[in-house]
């Protein structure tokens, strides 16, 4: 298969080894002795969660010949138990570890996550080597990747800047800009996605300074409602246009903040709404979308560049009927699934799916696909790959209209 028809994804940023305490009780008292059903290690953090989710979605099917890894994880670990365990989780999912930076003087981050019986979770973390992970180190690993990877890159996904002190503000902007330049191949354009977590509401001004300078380099920004409120424009002077879609689940203030993100250069905002699903907003600036189009005549462009400016859609969350829910990594799954769909540009998955020119990845299709990915990741029975449908199978469900029941609030 020609190299121009392949496309890898780089998942970069924060990582930690999670110790999940599954089935925790929650009495409400700080000093109560709580119980849990089992303790389970998993690969946590943005780079780990997005990378393993995508690797599982893109695994070769039975009988399909092995291909070069499509997903590369770029993070920083130490030479310890936690770091070695993370590497094993990455390989087991099918992700490439060639871009992982092992610092002999550093300690791998670890987190303890009580996963409560209602599916929600808490988090206690020591960020360790994430605190010292620099833009120069990340870009140096990318240089190595560009030299050793034959296939071009379709997307670069990064998270979580608010927990990465060396890659914030102007440093974040410069890093994303350099990453795009390094990974753009010929006339191909790549998608840059940024996922937020750890946005501190105690200092809204500082939280904005982490992100706002970099918005012009971000093609897809993923955040939840609480994070959007922390990042709200202090002036509150930006008004949002009514797109004609049902925005009952998104407040006028939230729509105004989304408009602010677009005005400052962000192409697409993916807003998590929890049990209500997600809201997708496309910039009204057509020139911003065209920056992602292929320059060469006849060369495929990524899906996002073809979207209608100003489009806004809400997509639902889907029901897990058997009730065994683990929401750890739900947002990462939503983000990774959306970026996979939005960055499609002629890869094998798309050639299999698009039997006619009428089938296109619209914002609604990308959002629905993302919600399906999160649905599988939140299902305790499928989250680690057993019984998980592939990306192609999920897209087929969408094209056939054969979707799970919508989660009722």
């Amino acid at each position: 298969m020609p190299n121009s028809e392949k496309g890898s994804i780089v998942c970069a940023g924060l990582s930690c080894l999670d110790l999940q305490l599954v089935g925790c009780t929650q009495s409400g008292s700080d000093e109560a002795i709580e119980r849990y059903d089992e303790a389970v290690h998993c690969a946590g953090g943005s780079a780990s969660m997005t990378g393993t989710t995508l690797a599982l979605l893109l695994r070769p099917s039975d009988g399909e010949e092995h291909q070069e890894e499509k997903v590369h994880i770029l993070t920083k670990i130490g030479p310890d138990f936690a770091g070695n365990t993370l590497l094993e989780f990455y390989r087991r999912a099918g992700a490439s570890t060639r871009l992982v930076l092992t610092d002999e003087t550093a300690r791998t981050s670890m987190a303890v996550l009580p996963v409560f019986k209602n599916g929600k979770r808490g988090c206690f973390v020591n960020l360790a080597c994430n605190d010292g992970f620099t833009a120069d180190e990340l870009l140096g690993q990318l240089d190595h990747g560009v030299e050793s990877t034959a296939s071009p890159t379709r997307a670069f996904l990064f998270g979580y800047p608010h927990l990465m002190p060396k890659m914030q503000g102007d440093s974040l902007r410069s890093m994303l800009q350099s990453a795009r330049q390094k990974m753009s191949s010929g006339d191909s354009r790549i998608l840059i996605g940024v996922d937020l977590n750890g946005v501190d509401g105690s200092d809204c001004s500082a939280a904005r300074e982490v992100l706002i300078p970099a918005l012009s380099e971000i093609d897809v920004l993923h955040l939840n409602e609480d994070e959007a409120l922390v990042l709200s424009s202090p002036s509150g002077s930006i008004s949002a246009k009514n797109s004609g879609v049902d925005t009952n689940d998104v407040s006028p203030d939230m729509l105004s903040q989304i408009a602010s993100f677009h005005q400052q250069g962000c192409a697409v905002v993916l807003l998590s709404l929890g049990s209500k699903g997600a809201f997708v907003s496309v910039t009204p600036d057509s020139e911003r979308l065209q920056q992602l189009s292929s320059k060469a005549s006849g060369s495929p462009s990524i899906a996002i560049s073809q979207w209608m400016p100003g489009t806004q859609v809400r997509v639902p969350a889907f029901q897990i009927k058997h009730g065994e829910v683990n929401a750890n990594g739900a947002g990462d799954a939503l983000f990774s699934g959306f970026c996979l769909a939005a960055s499609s540009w002629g890869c094998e998955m798309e050639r299999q799916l698009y039997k006619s020119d009428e089938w296109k990845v619209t914002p609604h299709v990308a959002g629905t696909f993302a919600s399906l990915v999160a649905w599988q990741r939140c299902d305790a029975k499928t989250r680690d790959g057993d019984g998980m449908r592939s990306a192609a199978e999920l897209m087929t469900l969408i094209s056939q209209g054969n979707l799970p029941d919508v989660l009722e609030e």
Side-chain angles (χ1 to χ4, degrees):
M1 184 165 55
N3 285 339
S4 61
E5 296 182 352
K6 293 183 179 181
S8 62
I9 298 176
V10 175
C11 299
L14 186 143
S15 65
C16 58
L17 180 64
D18 286 354
L19 175 61
Q20 298 182 107
L21 304 180
V22 181
C24 286
T25 58
Q26 192 175 19
S27 67
S29 170
D30 289 342
E31 297 187 7
I33 297 176
E34 306 289 358
R35 297 177 181 269
Y36 64 90
D37 294 333
E38 62 177 333
V40 180
H41 280 113
C42 75
S46 178
S48 303
M49 286 289 191
T50 56
T52 55
T53 297
L54 290 173
L56 290 170
L57 285 171
L58 297 172
R59 285 182 301 183
S61 58
D62 293 339
E64 185 180 357
E65 67 179 57
H66 176 75
Q67 299 175 358
E68 181 182 356
E69 297 97 334
K70 299 176 183 177
V71 180
H72 301 267
I73 295 177
L74 200 175
T75 191
K76 184 176 179 179
I77 62 173
D80 47 28
F81 166 79
N84 291 333
T85 304
L86 280 178
L87 291 174
E88 179 57 30
F89 277 123
Y90 299 162
R91 296 183 184 117
R92 193 181 305 168
S96 168
T97 61
R98 71 179 70 175
L99 299 185
V100 174
L101 172 62
T102 300
D103 185 341
E104 297 295 330
T105 66
R107 181 163 51 106
T108 305
S109 175
M110 293 191 66
V112 177
L113 293 91
V115 180
F116 303 109
K117 290 185 179 295
N118 62 4
K120 296 183 179 181
R121 65 157 178 82
C123 182
F124 303 86
V125 64
N126 184 326
L127 291 172
C129 61
N130 292 294
D131 282 332
F133 194 13
T134 69
D136 286 343
E137 288 176 325
L138 185 150
L139 294 172
Q141 294 300 103
L142 273 186
D143 284 334
H144 169 69
V146 169
E147 294 171 358
S148 61
T149 303
S151 61
T153 305
R154 65 193 291 180
F156 175 78
L157 311 183
F158 180 80
Y160 310 121
H162 287 83
L163 297 175
M164 308 284 290
K166 301 296 185 181
M167 287 183 269
Q168 299 179 346
D170 289 335
S171 177
L172 175 63
R173 176 192 55 77
S174 177
M175 182 274 288
L176 296 176
Q177 187 177 61
S178 296
R180 193 190 300 273
Q181 293 172 348
K182 289 177 182 294
M183 292 184 292
S184 294
S185 176
D187 295 310
S188 297
R189 292 291 176 265
I190 71 164
L191 179 146
I192 299 285
V194 171
D195 187 17
L196 300 188
N197 202 339
V199 180
D200 186 0
S202 66
D203 189 340
C204 295
S205 178
R208 286 191 290 269
E209 290 174 2
V210 171
L211 178 71
I212 301 306
L215 278 173
S216 61
E217 294 296 330
I218 299 174
D219 303 320
V220 174
L221 174 68
H222 171 247
L223 72 171
N224 62 31
E225 294 172 284
D226 291 339
E227 291 159 347
L229 288 174
V230 172
L231 297 169
S232 295
S233 173
S235 65
S237 60
I238 299 172
S239 61
K241 296 181 180 179
N242 191 327
S243 61
V245 302
D246 179 12
T247 59
N248 289 337
D249 293 317
V250 184
S251 70
D253 287 344
M254 192 68 65
L255 290 173
S256 178
Q257 178 56 27
I258 291 172
S260 170
F261 291 145
H262 289 320
Q263 188 178 75
Q264 295 172 92
C266 180
V268 174
V269 175
L270 174 64
L271 180 71
S272 289
L273 300 174
S275 62
K276 296 178 291 186
F279 184 73
V280 181
S281 180
V282 182
T283 179
D285 184 354
S286 60
E287 293 184 2
R288 175 65 176 88
L289 295 175
Q290 285 305 304
Q291 291 175 9
L292 296 167
S293 296
S294 173
K295 289 185 177 181
S297 176
S299 296
S301 295
I302 60 177
I304 190 175
S305 69
Q306 308 299 312
W307 289 354
M308 181 69 68
T311 300
Q312 292 183 322
V313 297
R314 190 180 76 82
V315 294
F318 297 112
Q319 185 180 149
I320 299 171
K321 291 189 174 181
H322 57 71
E324 295 183 34
V325 177
N326 183 344
N328 183 27
D332 303 284
L334 185 82
F335 170 65
S336 59
F338 186 86
C339 290
L340 174 61
S343 65
S344 60
W345 48 262
C347 297
E348 182 67 21
M349 182 182 76
E350 286 77 34
R351 290 209 308 277
Q352 293 175 3
L353 291 171
Y354 311 152
K355 305 299 183 183
S356 70
D357 291 335
E358 297 177 1
W359 175 254
K360 300 292 183 184
V361 177
T362 64
H364 188 269
V365 168
T368 303
F369 179 80
S371 192
L372 286 172
V373 174
W375 169 66
Q376 290 196 130
R377 194 65 166 171
C378 290
D379 187 329
K381 294 184 177 180
T382 62
R383 63 177 288 114
D384 295 322
D386 292 338
M388 181 183 284
R389 291 179 174 88
S390 69
E393 289 171 325
L394 293 182
M395 277 293 192
T396 299
L397 292 180
I398 298 172
S399 65
Q400 295 176 347
N402 186 23
L403 299 174
D405 292 338
V406 171
L407 180 62
E408 297 180 0
E409 302 172 39

